[in-house]
């Protein structure tokens, strides 16, 4: 089991404590030229935001629930994550481990973050399974107009309004090809994409607000 350690021991873990080490842990596992790691990705339909998203040959969402968070928001977030992701993992702490199993779909994975004297350790407690109920229309609504146009240009289609673009893409491009092109569009979001290894970890983790 692969682990990465950062930060301090002996206190509750907050989102800010978990997020940066999680990015590095994911990068260790997925680093290659075809992978992007995105933060705070918006899902318009249904509305939600994914904390961390790994985009390569599939879209894997990671939702953080720290010691100071509640799991109740998962009820509203679950439909959105399940609509667009190929895999989803809940990243939580031992405090929420037992209750989390009944709060998320059985195909979601579970990763537990815990403090050690050297920092934060991540342990996969349940592997994610492939999502069999993804929604291509919901995935396309994640893309902005420029990204949709790029999908159309690559598929040799003309310019249209966003809703028309989405309808045309769904009707004219196979499901597998559609999802592949949407992943490529997300990976081109240079604001959050890492084309090389991420920056070095800080000497200590920034305390949560």
């Amino acid at each position: 089991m692969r682990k990465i350690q950062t930060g301090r021991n002996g206190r509750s873990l907050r989102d800010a404590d978990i997020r940066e080490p999680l990015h590095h842990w994911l990068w260790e596992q997925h680093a290659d030229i075809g992978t992007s790691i995105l933060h705070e990705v918006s899902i318009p339909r249904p509305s939600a935001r994914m904390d961390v998203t790994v985009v390569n040959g599939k879209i894997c969402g990671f939702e953080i629930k720290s010691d100071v968070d509640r799991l109740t928001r998962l009820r509203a977030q679950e439909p959105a994550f399940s609509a667009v992701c190929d895999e989803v993992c809940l990243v939580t702490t031992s405090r929420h481990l037992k209750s989390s199993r009944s709060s998320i779909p059985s195909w979601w994975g579970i990763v537990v973050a815990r403090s050690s004297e050297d920092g934060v350790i991540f342990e996969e407690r349940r592997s994610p399974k492939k999502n069999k109920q993804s929604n291509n229309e919901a995935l396309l609504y994640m893309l902005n107009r420029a990204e949709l146009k790029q999908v159309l240009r690559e598929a040799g289609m003309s310019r249209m309004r966003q809703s028309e673009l989405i309808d045309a893409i769904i009707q004219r491009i196979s499901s597998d090809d559609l999802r592949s092109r949407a992943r490529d569009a997300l990976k081109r979001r240079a604001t959050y994409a890492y084309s090389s290894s991420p920056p070095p970890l800080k000497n200590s983790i920034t305390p949560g607000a």
Side-chain angles (χ1 to χ4, degrees), residues 160-195:
M160 305 175 187
R161 294 195 301 269
Q162 184 183 32
S163 60
E164 293 174 332
L165 291 174
I166 290 173
D167 287 342
I169 290 169
I170 289 174
Q171 292 173 13
R172 302 180 192 180
I173 302 179
S174 69
S175 179
D176 288 345
D177 190 25
L178 179 156
R179 298 191 69 82
S180 175
R181 292 178 187 276
R183 290 193 301 266
D184 288 343
L186 287 171
K187 285 190 285 186
R188 284 191 286 265
R189 292 185 179 181
T191 303
Y192 299 112
Y194 284 83
S195 57

Side-chain angles (χ1 to χ4, degrees), residues 79-108:
F81 300 161
S82 296
V84 302
C85 292
D86 299 296
E87 294 178 359
V88 182
C89 279
L90 176 67
V91 181
T92 189
T93 64
S94 56
R95 174 185 177 186
H96 295 309
L97 179 58
K98 183 176 180 179
S99 57
S100 68
R101 295 183 184 276
S102 59
S103 301
I104 59 176
S106 60
W107 60 272
W108 281 31

Side-chain angles (χ1 to χ4, degrees), residues 18-19 21-22 35 41-42 47 49 56 58 69 71 81 85 99 101 132-133 157 159-160 172 182:
I18 295 172
R19 188 178 292 262
L22 176 64
T35 294
V41 173
S42 177
S47 179
R49 215 175 258 277
N56 41 42
K58 53 190 174 184
D69 293 324
L71 299 183
F81 300 161
C85 292
S99 57
R101 295 183 184 276
K132 298 180 180 180
Q133 299 180 334
M157 297 182 187
R159 297 179 179 181
M160 305 175 187
R172 302 180 192 180

Side-chain angles (χ1 to χ4, degrees), residues 31-44:
D32 61 59
I33 197 169
T35 294
S36 291
I37 299 177
L38 315 177
H39 290 255
E40 297 296 331
V41 173
S42 177
I43 304 172

Side-chain angles (χ1 to χ4, degrees), residues 3 29 50 71 79 81 109 114 188 203:
K3 303 176 181 179
Q29 298 178 74
M50 281 192 293
L71 299 183
F81 300 161
R114 65 179 177 85
R188 284 191 286 265
N203 292 331

Side-chain angles (χ1 to χ4, degrees), residues 55-168:
V55 187
N56 41 42
K58 53 190 174 184
I59 299 174
C60 303
F62 294 82
E63 176 63 17
I64 299 170
K65 295 299 180 190
S66 70
D67 281 325
V68 298
D69 293 324
R70 295 181 179 180
L71 299 183
T72 52
R73 288 188 62 214
L74 284 171
R75 295 176 183 174
Q77 294 170 315
E78 184 274 323
F81 300 161
S82 296
V84 302
C85 292
D86 299 296
E87 294 178 359
V88 182
C89 279
L90 176 67
V91 181
T92 189
T93 64
S94 56
R95 174 185 177 186
H96 295 309
L97 179 58
K98 183 176 180 179
S99 57
S100 68
R101 295 183 184 276
S102 59
S103 301
I104 59 176
S106 60
W107 60 272
W108 281 31
I110 299 175
V111 173
V112 172
R114 65 179 177 85
S115 294
S116 75
E117 61 183 20
D118 296 315
V120 176
I121 294 176
F122 296 98
E123 300 178 358
E124 186 180 74
R125 295 296 185 89
R126 190 171 81 187
S127 298
K129 299 177 183 177
K130 183 178 180 180
N131 180 14
K132 298 180 180 180
Q133 299 180 334
S134 56
N135 184 308
N136 288 337
E137 184 174 2
L139 174 62
L140 290 174
Y141 271 104
M142 290 178 63
L143 307 184
N144 59 39
R145 185 173 178 82
E147 290 166 338
L148 287 169
K149 286 182 177 180
Q150 180 65 30
V151 171
L152 274 180
R153 282 195 295 269
E154 292 174 352
M157 297 182 187
S158 59
R159 297 179 179 181
M160 305 175 187
R161 294 195 301 269
Q162 184 183 32
S163 60
E164 293 174 332
L165 291 174
I166 290 173
D167 287 342

